Amino acid sequence: DAGVIQSPRHEVTEMGQEVTLRCKPISGHDYLFWYRQTMMRGLELLIYFNNNVPIDDSGMPEDRFSAKMPNASFSTLKIQPSEPRDSAVYFCASSLGQEQFFGPGTRLTVL
Amino acid sequence: KQEVTQIPAALSVPEGENLVLNCSFTDSAIYNLQWFRQDPGKGLTSLLLIQSSQREQTSGRLNASLDKSSGRSTLYIAASQPGDSATYLCAVRLQGQNFVFGPGTRLSVLP
């Protein structure tokens, strides 16, 4: 397996634009997680899914953030509209309920 | 609210030394604890997972211990090598699949 795949790896956009981050989990994994990492706040859990269903989105910072998982092999994290304070590295991870496996991350810069 | 801390924040050692990284958590009601390494600009790589009922786990030169009652875990690295240079993070799993990460320890192993 290729591991968790994320795209794009880097995204630079202007304030107010919509941003969509993508994730393909490891095949067979039934949990999918979205995290955000910043220097100030470290690594924070935003939302996680189980069998494509959102279970806990209490970490989603604002209504500008939304996440979907239309099927077992694909998930998106959308920010609309984006703001400079959203600049961070966004990680996707998947698991079978125990050990988590992380993707390489998407570095988002909002100008 | 669960808080995870890691001491020291940064550590620099000469090659060949044995070293210990510390992780503390405030609430002992955890399901497991996972140690990761993160290389600059990369995602997180899982090192060891310790279930709440276990005391320690070993993988090669790495040994992780868990004392749930005192809210502490240690990661022991034997015979350190320059390739071990990275940031090491611990994460505790709470109820459900909620994970709380520590801020990490930045390790430099000097040749």
Side-chain angles (χ1 to χ4, degrees), chain A residues 40-54:
Chain A
M40 290 296 294
R41 300 174 67 89
L43 200 62
E44 302 173 287
L45 177 63
L46 301 178
I47 184 172
Y48 75 88
F49 296 81
N50 179 221
N51 292 322
N52 314 338
V53 176

Side-chain angles (χ1 to χ4, degrees), chain A:
Chain A
D1 201 315
V4 178
I5 299 173
Q6 291 187 248
S7 65
R9 294 294 310 278
H10 302 273
E11 177 80 31
V12 180
T13 190
E14 293 188 347
M15 183 174 63
Q17 296 298 306
E18 177 180 297
V19 175
T20 299
L21 312 181
R22 297 172 175 79
C23 174
K24 176 179 169 56
I26 293 172
S27 178
H29 282 191
D30 54 357
Y31 285 91
L32 183 140
F33 307 81
W34 282 101
Y35 289 90
R36 178 172 68 176
Q37 187 177 41
T38 62
M39 289 293 292
M40 290 296 294
R41 300 174 67 89
L43 200 62
E44 302 173 287
L45 177 63
L46 301 178
I47 184 172
Y48 75 88
F49 296 81
N50 179 221
N51 292 322
N52 314 338
V53 176
I55 302 301
D56 188 339
D57 66 354
S58 59
M60 296 285 262
E62 300 171 36
D63 291 345
R64 298 184 296 106
F65 286 70
S66 63
K68 294 182 179 180
M69 192 166 185
N71 57 63
S73 59
F74 183 66
S75 177
T76 60
L77 178 67
K78 186 176 294 186
I79 308 173
Q80 165 64 18
S82 58
E83 297 183 3
R85 57 195 170 115
D86 301 331
S87 297
V89 180
Y90 291 81
F91 288 104
C92 176
S94 69
S95 81
L96 285 169
Q98 294 290 337
E99 189 176 11
Q100 288 190 78
F101 296 88
F102 278 71
T106 295
R107 181 174 296 276
L108 173 65
T109 303
V110 183
L111 304 174

Side-chain angles (χ1 to χ4, degrees), chain B residues 21-32:
Chain B
L21 308 180
N22 297 289
C23 171
S24 298
F25 45 96
T26 54
D27 187 343
S28 62
I30 66 170
Y31 284 80
N32 62 41

